[in-house]
Amino acid sequence: MSQAKVPVWVNVALIPLLNIMLAFAVSGLVILAIGENPIEAAGYLIYGAFGYEEGIGYTLYYATNLIFTGLAVSIAFKAGLFNIGGEGQAYIGGLGVALVCLWLDSSMPFIIIMPLAVIASALFGAAWAYIPAYLQARRGSHIVITTIMFNFIASSLMVYLLVNWLKEEGRMAANSRTFAENAWMPYMHEILAPLGINISDSPLNGAFILALICCAFIWGLIWHTRWGYQLRTLGTNATAAQYAGIDNAKVTIWVMLISGGLAGFVGVNEIMGVNHNLLLNFTAGYGFAGIAVSLMGRNHPIGIILAATLFGALYQGGAELAFEIPTITPEIVVVIQGLVILFSGALEHMFKDRIEGFFIRRAA
Amino acid sequence: MFETLILILDATLRVSTPLILAALAGLFSERAGIVDIGLEGKMLGGAFAAAAAAAVFGSAWIGLGFAILASVGLALIHGFACITHRGDHIVSGVAINTIVAGLTITLGLDWFGMGGQTPALSGDARFLTITFPFADALADVPVIGLIYSELLSGHNILVYLAFALVPATYWMVYKTRFGLRLRAVGENPHAVDTAGISVAFVRYRAVIICGVLCGVAGAYLSTAHNAGFLKDMSAGKGYMALAALIFGKWRPVPVMFACLLFGFLDAVAVRMQGVVVPGIGEIPVQAIEVLPYVLTVLLLAGFIGKAVGPKAVGRPYVKERA
């Protein structure tokens, strides 16, 4: 049905927009149901996210995490794999960052620590994705279930490590010690200041640049390499890929390694960029939010940047909203996320088929 | 030693109950070919509805009713997406879990203003324990007395219901016409369609049963096991039930034993906190807690037996046109 007759803008703009409008409309009903004015709420939300420089910084800082997890989910999606384990992979990625920082921060300069920490986050995240990938590719266990299980295993492992090994002596909370400043990812306002650009202080840090590099890299990888073609073939039709001589198992494993590595980068933003120590639950659902981001962004890096910014704005604006209207909790953002997943993912055919049908009939 | 064992087993029954209910819920759904990642969300939604209604109406039974309504509502959304619109089952399940996680807190804060919790329940608003006849009198009889008074007696009605539902599920899935169709729809929907039976209708009924059971599981959490709703109180139990469902290979009795095993590990983990085992040292609680997930991964990888689910699970059924 979806031959070339449907205009491109319908698929890349109209349908995602319609999905998100619906998600917003239903969220508006929720806000109405608790006796608040959705329009007023939206006003606070937009102001909180974009109304002032610091707000924008926060928005982009949240977006950084979402770009990483969104890309992670979407590259796996492209190959027909559902990586639901971004949460665990991001968590373990943070462990990699923290270990490098804790180990080297007293003896090495930033210029050496930074690349090592970034590599460690990717390696740790990838390693955590490798096992489910291997099991799916070689032993036929379903990747969705194994990645879910690995989220829980990661969570237990991190509690164990933080409580028994990495906790700072004499502290009640299960945090590692704070890294020395030479292991901190510089903030964006620090990076831009020497260039004569002055922006307000915010948690936005160098990881944002890494996120943009990742987008460009993934774009090139998926659409402009042989391997990317194999990946897309696997995702479109695994049987055809097999006949075409593609080693499906090998591609599966590599896609998941990249996916896990991308999710692991959340650790760079959170641990190295903002918290400067390893702490419990710093991933805060970004792994799952990545699913909404990749669905919204149509699995394209540009779309993912836009969707991540939108969700980043919801996180930041949601915090502002909760401050202005105390009866609305920041969790309203989680509701919106869920609705986006529902409308643009699960109920995709409900609108897509009808809208495409409309345009095909009109073209005919 | 014996008393400790009985107490652990007693705790096992209590912890296993929501797992059994949710896992049986998943069994109905997945046997009909509908993958259900959303057990967690439906359970959480049920827990919230039960606690909220019980707090307002002062009756645990009304709470249970609302829990079932809420959970079936969510199940129908899942069905609408997966059956009617051939949507991705996993995506739909994730959506439901996410929506419920946010909605329970948002609504809870508005309704009760207690940071997303519901008021503490007491009296009729909770399912209270049932003491078997002569339990107190027999308590002093060696061995049997303890088993009878501690282990068997003194649970609330939902615990007994959960265990009664295991043979009931077995009978329904394997001995009734509906059960036959249910299994057939999960294995080979085309065959069912050819026989002139609506695949969609069978699947919808399966999804509704799944909703009912998840609702009961949720009500158990908030009105029987605890006295009120707490933020994220299902805490991964839905996923653990899913693991138990796989571990029990989608069959009622093995699923129950898987739930009991996972519940036992949970109960042991609580007991083992800070206990030094001779020769081994202190076993980290997390190591025990993580076992259900590790076991499930090993099973799925075929290292300990092989888990093979219903053949058509997760595949939308498209009626072929001539």
Side-chain angles (χ1 to χ4, degrees), chain A residues 30 33-34 77 82 84 135 139 141 144-146 148-150 152-153 156 159-160 164 291 295 326-327 329 331-332 334-335 337-339 341-342 345-347 349-350 353-354, chain B residues 37 77 80-81 85-88 90-92 94-95 98-99 101-103 105-107 109-110 231 236 239 242-243 246 284 286 289-290 293-294 296-297 300-303 306:
Chain A
V30 173
I34 59 178
F77 252 146
F82 200 160
I84 227 167
L135 294 177
R139 310 217 41 120
S141 39
V144 169
I145 305 290
T146 33
I148 290 178
M149 299 300 145
F150 267 72
F152 287 102
I153 298 174
S156 285
V159 173
Y160 172 72
N164 294 293
I291 298 168
L295 286 169
T327 47
T329 60
E331 270 78 11
I332 192 79
V334 179
V335 179
Q337 253 174 43
L339 289 166
I341 299 177
L342 183 70
L347 287 170
H349 295 293
M350 183 160 86
D353 294 357
R354 262 173 226 176
Chain B
I37 300 277
I77 295 178
F80 183 67
H85 288 292
R86 312 188 317 275
D88 189 297
I90 311 266
V91 174
S92 169
V94 171
T98 314
I99 292 171
L103 205 55
I105 298 168
T106 307
L107 292 179
L109 186 77
D110 177 52
K231 180 181 172 176
Y239 294 110
L242 195 67
I246 297 162
Q286 292 82 22
E289 279 172 353
V290 88
Y293 307 114
V294 174
T296 308
V297 169
L300 279 167
F303 291 120
K306 187 86 188 140

Side-chain angles (χ1 to χ4, degrees), chain B residues 62-197:
Chain B
I62 295 180
L64 179 66
F66 274 87
I68 291 174
L69 280 181
S71 175
V72 169
L74 293 168
L76 285 174
I77 295 178
H78 189 53
F80 183 67
C82 300
I83 304 168
T84 306
H85 288 292
R86 312 188 317 275
D88 189 297
H89 299 192
I90 311 266
V91 174
S92 169
V94 171
I96 285 169
N97 289 345
T98 314
I99 292 171
V100 174
L103 205 55
T104 48
I105 298 168
T106 307
L107 292 179
L109 186 77
D110 177 52
W111 291 349
F112 303 104
M114 297 168 60
Q117 298 184 14
T118 61
L121 304 171
S122 58
D124 286 343
R126 284 191 70 190
F127 283 103
L128 295 177
T129 53
I130 298 170
T131 309
F132 283 5
F134 313 115
D136 290 332
L138 287 173
D140 294 331
V141 178
V143 185
I144 298 171
L146 205 57
I147 292 177
Y148 185 71
S149 67
E150 269 298 327
L151 189 58
L152 297 180
S153 165
H155 295 285
N156 61 70
I157 191 161
L158 297 183
V159 176
Y160 301 114
L161 176 70
F163 284 91
L165 278 171
V166 175
T169 302
Y170 178 86
W171 175 78
M172 205 162 158
V173 170
Y174 290 105
K175 305 286 171 193
T176 65
R177 193 161 65 166
F178 171 70
L180 178 67
R181 288 173 180 176
L182 183 87
R183 285 179 290 139
V185 156
E187 297 288 343
N188 190 345
H190 289 282
V192 178
D193 199 17
T194 312
I197 299 155

Side-chain angles (χ1 to χ4, degrees), chain A residues 235-285:
Chain A
T236 317
N237 188 336
T239 322
Q242 194 78 54
Y243 279 119
I246 295 169
D247 186 344
N248 285 0
K250 209 168 140 191
V251 177
T252 299
I253 289 176
W254 274 102
V255 169
M256 282 301 288
L257 284 175
I258 295 172
S259 178
L262 286 165
F265 284 148
V266 170
V268 177
N269 190 33
E270 285 292 320
I271 299 302
M272 204 184 178
V274 177
N275 289 300
H276 307 132
N277 67 45
L278 187 64
L279 67 167
L280 289 179
N281 300 326
F282 68 86
T283 45

Side-chain angles (χ1 to χ4, degrees), chain A residues 189-348:
Chain A
H189 50 85
E190 293 169 354
I191 297 176
L192 293 176
L195 306 174
I197 306 167
N198 285 304
I199 56 168
S200 306
D201 292 11
S202 76
L204 185 64
N205 61 73
F208 181 64
I209 301 172
L210 178 65
L212 296 181
I213 295 172
C214 285
C215 285
F217 174 74
I218 294 300
W219 176 77
L221 187 69
I222 294 183
W223 280 280
H224 293 273
T225 64
R226 229 179 120 106
W227 185 79
Y229 184 75
Q230 296 188 342
L231 175 163
R232 284 180 288 138
T233 312
L234 172 65
T236 317
N237 188 336
T239 322
Q242 194 78 54
Y243 279 119
I246 295 169
D247 186 344
N248 285 0
K250 209 168 140 191
V251 177
T252 299
I253 289 176
W254 274 102
V255 169
M256 282 301 288
L257 284 175
I258 295 172
S259 178
L262 286 165
F265 284 148
V266 170
V268 177
N269 190 33
E270 285 292 320
I271 299 302
M272 204 184 178
V274 177
N275 289 300
H276 307 132
N277 67 45
L278 187 64
L279 67 167
L280 289 179
N281 300 326
F282 68 86
T283 45
Y286 292 119
F288 293 108
I291 298 168
V293 169
S294 84
L295 286 169
M296 255 331 290
R298 283 278 182 267
N299 295 325
H300 190 284
I302 303 283
I304 285 169
I305 293 176
L306 291 174
T309 309
L310 178 80
F311 275 104
L314 288 175
Y315 276 79
Q316 164 56 14
E320 181 91 6
L321 177 61
F323 181 72
E324 294 289 343
I325 310 179
T327 47
I328 300 179
T329 60
E331 270 78 11
I332 192 79
V333 178
V334 179
V335 179
I336 301 176
Q337 253 174 43
L339 289 166
V340 167
I341 299 177
L342 183 70
F343 287 124
S344 55
L347 287 170
E348 178 187 37

Side-chain angles (χ1 to χ4, degrees), chain B residues 299-313:
Chain B
L299 177 81
L300 279 167
F303 291 120
I304 37 170
K306 187 86 188 140
V308 182
K311 260 202 210 76
V313 82

